[in-house]
Each structure stands twice: as C-alpha cells, then as structure tokens.
Amino acid sequence: MNRRIGPALLAALLAACATLPAPSEETPAFELSGRVAVRYGGEAASGRAEWRHSAATDDLIIANPIGQGIAEIARRGDAYTLVTADGKRYAASDPEALTQDVLGWRLPLAGLPDWVRGRPLAGVPAETRYDGARLGMLQQSGWTIEYLEYGENGLPRRLRLYRDTLDIRLVIEEWR
C-alpha cells in the first residue's frame, strides 16, 4: 500500500468516527473501543480505535493492528484538531473542511454519535429498516449504515457505513 495513502485512509476512518460537530443534547456520553477497516477506492487499511465522546469533547485514537498510533482527532467545543502519525497537526472549526483539506474529501460527521448507538440523527430526514425492534439499516445524509450485529447490551456491535467509494466497517468490542 502506498505509504501516504495508508495513513490517510486510517485518518479518514478516524475522522469519520471522531471529528464530530457538537452533538445534540440527546446524545449521551460514551466510550467505545474496537477494530476499524476502511476502503476508499482501491486502497484499504485497518486498525484499532478508541473513542471517548461527550457533549463538549471527542477524542479518538487510531492505531495500527500492533498498537502504534496512526492518527488522533480531538474536539474541544467547536475547535477540531487532527494529528497524523508523522506529527503534523491540522486545526479547523469545521470538521468537514478539516477532513477535506487533510484527506481530500468531505465526510458528513454530524450523525456519528447517534449512528453508532443504533439510531438516526434527530431532525434529519432518514430512511430506516428495522429487524424486529432493532434498527437494521439507515440511510441518512447521503450515507448508508448497516447494523450487522448487536451486543447483549442492546447497542450495535458491528456496523458498516458507506457512501460513494468510501466504505467503513466498525467492530465495537467494548462500550463504556
């Protein structure tokens, strides 16, 4: 894999999972850890993710499969930073502009705290399909989110998020 593309793909995954606009009051704080895989066009990369989310902050660290840091994204209020594995630091007040500038494409990030919890973002049109009482598929803001498995806690365990040529898979191993 191209040395430049691999970190950028993982950073894209990181951005998709952590560079979030201020969440709605209804989105509770959470922490999750797990494995992520991202495919963008013909490139692919995988790693581990640790995400801590609250109303005021987001912290996400992506590491390669052997635990070395790839990228970090943080949100403090309305300020976002993205630090790459080579130590380059990027900052912006618009997380989508930040991902556009650093990664080359914009990611719609407003819904992620709700999407990983198995629910649509409130107030935004969505198409849903339920498998029994649980959300099985969601289409919102141009993204399709498939809920492949739920854990004993009732929260999603395996998800696939995709749009155009970007495909992100997340396996949540632990919710806190």
Side-chain angles (χ1 to χ4, degrees), residues 32-44:
L32 64 82
S33 61
R35 295 173 283 137
V36 295
V38 63
R39 180 175 304 275
Y40 180 69
E43 300 292 330

Side-chain angles (χ1 to χ4, degrees), residues 25-60:
E25 298 173 335
E26 300 170 18
T27 304
F30 61 81
E31 293 181 33
L32 64 82
S33 61
R35 295 173 283 137
V36 295
V38 63
R39 180 175 304 275
Y40 180 69
E43 300 292 330
S46 63
R48 301 222 23 99
E50 296 285 333
W51 181 16
R52 188 176 0 184
H53 168 81
S54 73
T57 66
D58 278 291
D59 291 295
L60 183 84

Side-chain angles (χ1 to χ4, degrees), residues 26-163:
E26 300 170 18
T27 304
F30 61 81
E31 293 181 33
L32 64 82
S33 61
R35 295 173 283 137
V36 295
V38 63
R39 180 175 304 275
Y40 180 69
E43 300 292 330
S46 63
R48 301 222 23 99
E50 296 285 333
W51 181 16
R52 188 176 0 184
H53 168 81
S54 73
T57 66
D58 278 291
D59 291 295
L60 183 84
I61 298 171
I62 296 291
N64 67 21
I66 60 172
Q68 296 175 326
I70 299 289
E72 296 180 29
I73 289 185
R75 175 180 61 86
R76 299 293 178 265
D78 294 330
Y80 299 85
T81 59
L82 186 154
V83 180
T84 61
D86 60 3
K88 291 184 181 175
R89 182 181 184 89
Y90 303 89
S93 60
D94 177 349
E96 291 186 15
L98 178 63
T99 59
Q100 174 70 43
D101 291 345
V102 177
L103 307 172
W105 62 86
R106 298 177 75 82
L107 296 172
L109 305 170
L112 239 340
D114 288 301
W115 296 348
V116 299
R117 293 184 56 80
R119 61 187 189 188
L121 177 63
V124 177
E127 291 183 33
T128 58
R129 183 192 79 229
Y130 285 83
D131 296 333
R134 294 184 174 158
L135 188 59
M137 189 273 304
L138 166 66
Q139 291 182 315
Q140 191 171 39
S141 302
W143 283 85
T144 299
I145 301 92
E146 295 176 350
Y147 296 90
L148 306 172
E149 181 182 336
Y150 282 81
E152 292 177 11
N153 59 5
L155 293 169
R157 178 168 148 52
R158 291 184 33 228
L159 298 89
R160 177 181 178 217
L161 302 92
Y162 57 93
R163 177 182 182 168

